[in-house]
Amino acid sequence: MNEQQVNELLNALKAQTKAQTEQAAAINRLAESNEALVAVIYQSMVDDEGDGEVMPQTYLSGKPRG
């Protein structure tokens, strides 16, 4: 490899490292968002169960279970 090729390779590796770092940050933000969403869903389910009304168990399609 000549010096120009080495410099191009180093620049490509720097760009790849930057992209991977940004991707990791985005994945972490997504994970935190999902965690918050799950907490909200869980809390709403707990609140619904506290109403004393029993919800019929159904599949996601709406068909009754069992």
Side-chain angles (χ1 to χ4, degrees):
M1 283 186 127
N2 63 33
E3 187 174 340
Q4 181 184 357
Q5 289 174 321
V6 170
N7 287 334
E8 289 174 2
L9 179 59
L10 288 174
N11 288 335
L13 289 172
K14 287 178 186 176
Q16 180 183 11
T17 300
K18 181 181 180 211
Q20 287 175 329
T21 301
E22 291 171 355
Q23 183 181 36
I27 290 170
N28 286 336
R29 288 191 305 273
L30 179 61
E32 290 170 2
S33 171
N34 286 347
E35 185 178 359
L37 180 59
V38 167
V40 168
I41 291 170
Y42 175 78
Q43 189 59 50
S44 71
M45 291 178 72
V46 167
D47 291 345
D48 288 347
E49 288 180 8
D51 294 341
E53 184 179 319
V54 177
M55 300 289 289
Q57 292 189 353
T58 61
Y59 292 104
L60 290 176
S61 66
K63 293 180 182 177
R65 291 179 64 182

